Amino acid sequence: MAALFLGINANAARMDMVDVSNNNGYMSTAEYVSMRNEFGVKAVTVKISEGGTYKDPYAASNIANVQAAGMYINGYHFARYATKAQAIAEAYFAGKTAKAAGLPVGAVLATDVESQEANNQSKATNDRNNAAFMQEIQKFGYRADIYTSGSWANNKMTIKGKTGWIAGYPFVPAGKKWYTNNNAWQWSGSAHFRISYGGFDVSQLYTDYYTAGQKSTVKPTNKGAVKANNRKANKNIYKPASSAKWVKEKKIYTLKTAVKLHTGASTSSNTITIFPAGATVKTDQAIIQGGYRWVRQPRFYGYGYLATGPASNTLEYVKSGASHTYYTVKSGDSWWAIAQRNGLSMTTLASQNGKSIYTTIYPGQRLVVR
């Protein structure tokens, strides 16, 4: 493996690392602080990019908020390359994107190898392509690694000891310690924390490769620093006036266009984030205020608010997701094949499921087709 390894500590403390992407939505500093101090998670690896064109829209905010929460930060790129030239081009794209998003020099920027493109290649070809990606990514000052599944690590590429971030779940065979000789083992793909978005991938670190050279800025015992982070995250939480007439409205909306999430039911209130078109939002209440109809999104620390349009048009920007027809993905399916069968474009199909056409789909996954 072509990565440069810095002082691996065989006795590195076991700790959990979570990876996040646009699929988890916006994550605030306070949510990361909660993840760390309530559940013991100390490291986060953020999706940076995919293929040669896709940039994760939450990469920059995730990196900033993870660092503000005092956690170890790294990144990964979802690989779509099938040739050495494509691997080098994707590494260049990933490195530039990571720099722009604020991933610090010295962090790991792993290549996530699990796509159909790699599945079609021989072991020797994948080894060559992965080595080319990792060699190129190190030119940006990042350390390299491979993130893949257990079966792929055994059959599709060469993963040496004290390298690799390997996913193998939902079970471990009795008496067998899977991948304890690697940098990390992903033991869950559906973990839930007491925050707005669930379904997190969680890994256990077996070496200090994903923490080497980084300093944690908020210690679990530093209650003052934790409270300061919480106050910072909560300072703009909106408290509705007692005269506001809220009505219960528990719905799931799919955004037709990008929509700002505000700290209050006012267009002049601060913006928490901008949800991209296709994102899904769960709401619990609605209100007519300031000439607009607003919906409220429960979040771990308070609420977020979205204007759905003028009072006379309650769903100008969003549509209800209450009634849908679903399709269960089968082996061999693709965005194109499913879209064709249902009279949709790939972009429409992906966006109404809160994803992009570059997101990998898996057998057993349910997609909204109507």
Side-chain angles (χ1 to χ4, degrees), residues 256-268:
K256 287 183 176 179
T257 64
V259 179
K260 290 182 179 180
L261 180 70
H262 290 274
T263 56
S266 168
T267 53
S268 62

PDB file of all heavy atoms in Angstrom, residues 256-268:
ATOM      1  N   LYS A 256     -38.206  20.665  -3.189  1.00  0.00           N
ATOM      2  CA  LYS A 256     -38.132  20.784  -4.642  1.00  0.00           C
ATOM      3  C   LYS A 256     -36.941  21.648  -5.051  1.00  0.00           C
ATOM      4  O   LYS A 256     -36.376  21.481  -6.120  1.00  0.00           O
ATOM      5  CB  LYS A 256     -39.418  21.410  -5.188  1.00  0.00           C
ATOM      6  CG  LYS A 256     -40.627  20.491  -5.150  1.00  0.00           C
ATOM      7  CD  LYS A 256     -41.820  21.187  -5.789  1.00  0.00           C
ATOM      8  CE  LYS A 256     -43.028  20.268  -5.859  1.00  0.00           C
ATOM      9  NZ  LYS A 256     -44.196  20.952  -6.452  1.00  0.00           N
ATOM     10  N   THR A 257     -36.604  22.619  -4.208  1.00  0.00           N
ATOM     11  CA  THR A 257     -35.471  23.496  -4.475  1.00  0.00           C
ATOM     12  C   THR A 257     -34.659  23.629  -3.191  1.00  0.00           C
ATOM     13  O   THR A 257     -35.080  23.176  -2.127  1.00  0.00           O
ATOM     14  CB  THR A 257     -35.935  24.906  -4.899  1.00  0.00           C
ATOM     15  OG1 THR A 257     -36.634  25.517  -3.806  1.00  0.00           O
ATOM     16  CG2 THR A 257     -36.844  24.850  -6.108  1.00  0.00           C
ATOM     17  N   ALA A 258     -33.498  24.244  -3.274  1.00  0.00           N
ATOM     18  CA  ALA A 258     -32.705  24.513  -2.078  1.00  0.00           C
ATOM     19  C   ALA A 258     -33.470  25.491  -1.192  1.00  0.00           C
ATOM     20  O   ALA A 258     -34.039  26.474  -1.678  1.00  0.00           O
ATOM     21  CB  ALA A 258     -31.349  25.103  -2.460  1.00  0.00           C
ATOM     22  N   VAL A 259     -33.513  25.220   0.112  1.00  0.00           N
ATOM     23  CA  VAL A 259     -34.273  26.047   1.058  1.00  0.00           C
ATOM     24  C   VAL A 259     -33.415  26.341   2.279  1.00  0.00           C
ATOM     25  O   VAL A 259     -32.731  25.453   2.799  1.00  0.00           O
ATOM     26  CB  VAL A 259     -35.572  25.327   1.501  1.00  0.00           C
ATOM     27  CG1 VAL A 259     -36.341  26.171   2.507  1.00  0.00           C
ATOM     28  CG2 VAL A 259     -36.460  25.030   0.297  1.00  0.00           C
ATOM     29  N   LYS A 260     -33.472  27.595   2.749  1.00  0.00           N
ATOM     30  CA  LYS A 260     -32.715  27.984   3.941  1.00  0.00           C
ATOM     31  C   LYS A 260     -33.423  27.498   5.197  1.00  0.00           C
ATOM     32  O   LYS A 260     -34.643  27.616   5.321  1.00  0.00           O
ATOM     33  CB  LYS A 260     -32.573  29.504   4.004  1.00  0.00           C
ATOM     34  CG  LYS A 260     -31.654  30.096   2.950  1.00  0.00           C
ATOM     35  CD  LYS A 260     -31.545  31.610   3.116  1.00  0.00           C
ATOM     36  CE  LYS A 260     -30.606  32.206   2.076  1.00  0.00           C
ATOM     37  NZ  LYS A 260     -30.489  33.678   2.230  1.00  0.00           N
ATOM     38  N   LEU A 261     -32.631  26.956   6.122  1.00  0.00           N
ATOM     39  CA  LEU A 261     -33.134  26.586   7.440  1.00  0.00           C
ATOM     40  C   LEU A 261     -32.741  27.713   8.388  1.00  0.00           C
ATOM     41  O   LEU A 261     -31.560  27.995   8.575  1.00  0.00           O
ATOM     42  CB  LEU A 261     -32.530  25.266   7.912  1.00  0.00           C
ATOM     43  CG  LEU A 261     -32.989  24.780   9.294  1.00  0.00           C
ATOM     44  CD1 LEU A 261     -34.444  24.346   9.255  1.00  0.00           C
ATOM     45  CD2 LEU A 261     -32.107  23.633   9.780  1.00  0.00           C
ATOM     46  N   HIS A 262     -33.754  28.374   8.981  1.00  0.00           N
ATOM     47  CA  HIS A 262     -33.523  29.543   9.833  1.00  0.00           C
ATOM     48  C   HIS A 262     -33.565  29.182  11.315  1.00  0.00           C
ATOM     49  O   HIS A 262     -34.118  28.153  11.715  1.00  0.00           O
ATOM     50  CB  HIS A 262     -34.590  30.609   9.554  1.00  0.00           C
ATOM     51  CG  HIS A 262     -34.463  31.266   8.219  1.00  0.00           C
ATOM     52  ND1 HIS A 262     -33.652  32.355   7.986  1.00  0.00           N
ATOM     53  CD2 HIS A 262     -35.046  30.984   7.026  1.00  0.00           C
ATOM     54  CE1 HIS A 262     -33.752  32.728   6.715  1.00  0.00           C
ATOM     55  NE2 HIS A 262     -34.598  31.893   6.108  1.00  0.00           N
ATOM     56  N   THR A 263     -32.994  30.076  12.127  1.00  0.00           N
ATOM     57  CA  THR A 263     -33.057  29.913  13.577  1.00  0.00           C
ATOM     58  C   THR A 263     -34.399  30.369  14.133  1.00  0.00           C
ATOM     59  O   THR A 263     -34.703  30.120  15.300  1.00  0.00           O
ATOM     60  CB  THR A 263     -31.946  30.713  14.261  1.00  0.00           C
ATOM     61  OG1 THR A 263     -32.037  32.097  13.862  1.00  0.00           O
ATOM     62  CG2 THR A 263     -30.571  30.165  13.873  1.00  0.00           C
ATOM     63  N   GLY A 264     -35.196  31.055  13.331  1.00  0.00           N
ATOM     64  CA  GLY A 264     -36.506  31.513  13.775  1.00  0.00           C
ATOM     65  C   GLY A 264     -37.464  31.629  12.620  1.00  0.00           C
ATOM     66  O   GLY A 264     -37.071  31.556  11.448  1.00  0.00           O
ATOM     67  N   ALA A 265     -38.746  31.800  12.921  1.00  0.00           N
ATOM     68  CA  ALA A 265     -39.773  31.914  11.885  1.00  0.00           C
ATOM     69  C   ALA A 265     -39.809  33.342  11.354  1.00  0.00           C
ATOM     70  O   ALA A 265     -40.812  34.052  11.446  1.00  0.00           O
ATOM     71  CB  ALA A 265     -41.126  31.503  12.445  1.00  0.00           C
ATOM     72  N   SER A 266     -38.699  33.761  10.777  1.00  0.00           N
ATOM     73  CA  SER A 266     -38.567  35.103  10.204  1.00  0.00           C
ATOM     74  C   SER A 266     -37.477  35.054   9.145  1.00  0.00           C
ATOM     75  O   SER A 266     -36.421  34.441   9.355  1.00  0.00           O
ATOM     76  CB  SER A 266     -38.199  36.124  11.279  1.00  0.00           C
ATOM     77  OG  SER A 266     -37.815  37.347  10.687  1.00  0.00           O
ATOM     78  N   THR A 267     -37.704  35.710   8.017  1.00  0.00           N
ATOM     79  CA  THR A 267     -36.701  35.711   6.956  1.00  0.00           C
ATOM     80  C   THR A 267     -35.461  36.509   7.351  1.00  0.00           C
ATOM     81  O   THR A 267     -34.416  36.398   6.710  1.00  0.00           O
ATOM     82  CB  THR A 267     -37.283  36.303   5.657  1.00  0.00           C
ATOM     83  OG1 THR A 267     -37.848  37.592   5.943  1.00  0.00           O
ATOM     84  CG2 THR A 267     -38.356  35.389   5.081  1.00  0.00           C
ATOM     85  N   SER A 268     -35.561  37.318   8.415  1.00  0.00           N
ATOM     86  CA  SER A 268     -34.407  38.083   8.882  1.00  0.00           C
ATOM     87  C   SER A 268     -33.594  37.330   9.937  1.00  0.00           C
ATOM     88  O   SER A 268     -32.534  37.798  10.360  1.00  0.00           O
ATOM     89  CB  SER A 268     -34.863  39.431   9.460  1.00  0.00           C
ATOM     90  OG  SER A 268     -35.717  39.240  10.579  1.00  0.00           O
TER      91      SER A 268
END
